[in-house]
Amino acid sequence: MKKILKGVASVTGGLVFMLSASTALATPGFIALEGSDATSFHQDSTYGPQLFNYLQGGSSKSVLIYNQSGTINIDASTGFTNTYTTDLSTITLGDYSALYVQTPGSCCNGDSNVLNGFGVAVNAFIAAGGNVAIGNYTGGSYDGVVIGGSGTPAGVIEGYAAQNGGVGGGPTCSDGETVTALGISKGFGQPPVDGCWSHQGYQNSYWSTFGYVDLIHAAPDYVFGDGTNNGSSFLALGGTLGDPGVPEPATWAMMLMGFFGVGSMVRRSRRATALA
């Protein structure tokens, strides 16, 4: 009996080792920069559910909507029961699946200081797997939350009021966006015609250097500082954009060692039991 118990303890130890290795599989959340007013201003019932499904990512936790100038209730158009706040200082972000930063007044250009003072909390939230989307992102550091934001040069964001001293040109709003193959894989369909679906376009050749990818391609009449019209109206960065995590090589090695160890322990336990 002692040998059997010893074998069971050894197997249990191997399983604990495997589980401790697997905790490294947790992946950070993503940041999305959104040039659209379709969610809060137009309250589009086609795009809204797509966006909030993407943000929630299968979590049972609600999405937190933050607008310091006064939140706009969009539950009916998104199909979700969201939580609303005008003050992040009273919030524990870990209680939510995602943070959606609503455009002040719901239209048309965002506040580049809206997350200042909350960078530590928001970065920790993303690192723990939380997702963040910023409506009508117009540049700015957001207290270090958005990679590439603080040094955004003129001409890489075009649209409403020629953001960042826009030097390329284009419409103040547009309905000419197209969903990309990656966007389709994340559950997005062709953006609806709202009379003005997007207010901002982001120059892909700039934002891609920071790792951002294009989910909804900007209308072709957005011309950016580099002279191209290769832009996005919905960018995302970080984590695996909602996909299952891919373990680091070191994590795979730890897990394989765990499996090997458990297998060896089971074989030794069986031999010990047979000889008893």
Side-chain angles (χ1 to χ4, degrees):
M1 179 61 72
K2 288 182 179 179
K3 291 181 178 180
I4 292 174
L5 291 175
K6 184 177 180 181
V8 170
S10 298
V11 171
T12 302
L15 288 172
V16 169
F17 179 79
M18 281 172 53
L19 290 172
S20 65
S22 68
T23 58
L25 296 178
T27 54
F30 59 78
I31 300 171
L33 307 183
E34 185 192 26
S36 174
D37 282 323
T39 307
S40 299
F41 185 63
H42 292 289
Q43 299 200 19
D44 188 274
S45 59
T46 300
Y47 170 72
Q50 294 173 357
L51 174 62
F52 276 70
N53 273 318
Y54 180 59
L55 290 177
Q56 199 172 38
S59 171
S60 59
K61 297 178 180 179
S62 66
V63 175
L64 177 68
I65 297 176
Y66 171 52
N67 187 343
Q68 62 183 2
S69 68
T71 55
I72 296 95
N73 191 297
I74 55 175
D75 286 11
S77 59
T78 62
F80 283 70
T81 301
N82 302 296
T83 304
Y84 298 81
T85 186
T86 58
D87 183 6
L88 282 182
S89 66
T90 64
I91 296 295
T92 301
L93 290 176
D95 293 340
Y96 303 93
S97 59
L99 170 65
Y100 182 70
V101 180
Q102 210 170 47
T103 306
S106 82
C107 176
C108 299
N109 53 336
D111 180 354
S112 62
N113 298 312
V114 70
L115 288 180
N116 282 354
F118 302 108
V120 172
V122 173
N123 282 329
F125 176 62
I126 294 168
N131 301 319
V132 176
I134 302 170
N136 281 334
Y137 175 71
T138 60
S141 68
Y142 282 99
D143 201 19
V145 173
V146 178
I147 296 173
S150 60
T152 307
V156 300
I157 302 175
E158 293 290 354
Y160 185 83
Q163 298 298 336
N164 288 303
V167 296
T172 58
C173 61
S174 154
D175 266 315
E177 293 72 25
T178 55
V179 65
T180 66
L182 179 61
I184 291 171
S185 76
K186 301 303 176 185
F188 290 93
Q190 177 60 33
V193 174
D194 284 329
C196 185
W197 189 89
S198 181
H199 275 301
Q200 264 89 258
Y202 309 102
Q203 179 183 308
N204 279 321
S205 61
Y206 171 80
W207 293 101
S208 65
T209 62
F210 298 99
Y212 286 89
V213 293
D214 181 16
L215 276 75
I216 300 178
H217 207 61
D221 43 4
Y222 282 109
V223 182
F224 299 93
D226 63 355
T228 71
N229 58 6
N230 180 24
S232 175
S233 286
F234 193 94
L235 291 169
L237 164 77
T240 51
L241 305 178
D243 288 339
V246 177
E248 297 285 337
T251 303
W252 274 120
M254 289 177 67
M255 291 185 68
L256 288 172
M257 287 172 63
F259 282 118
F260 178 78
V262 169
S264 297
M265 292 171 191
V266 169
R267 287 192 295 272
R268 285 198 300 270
S269 176
R270 286 175 177 171
R271 285 197 296 269
T273 301
L275 294 173

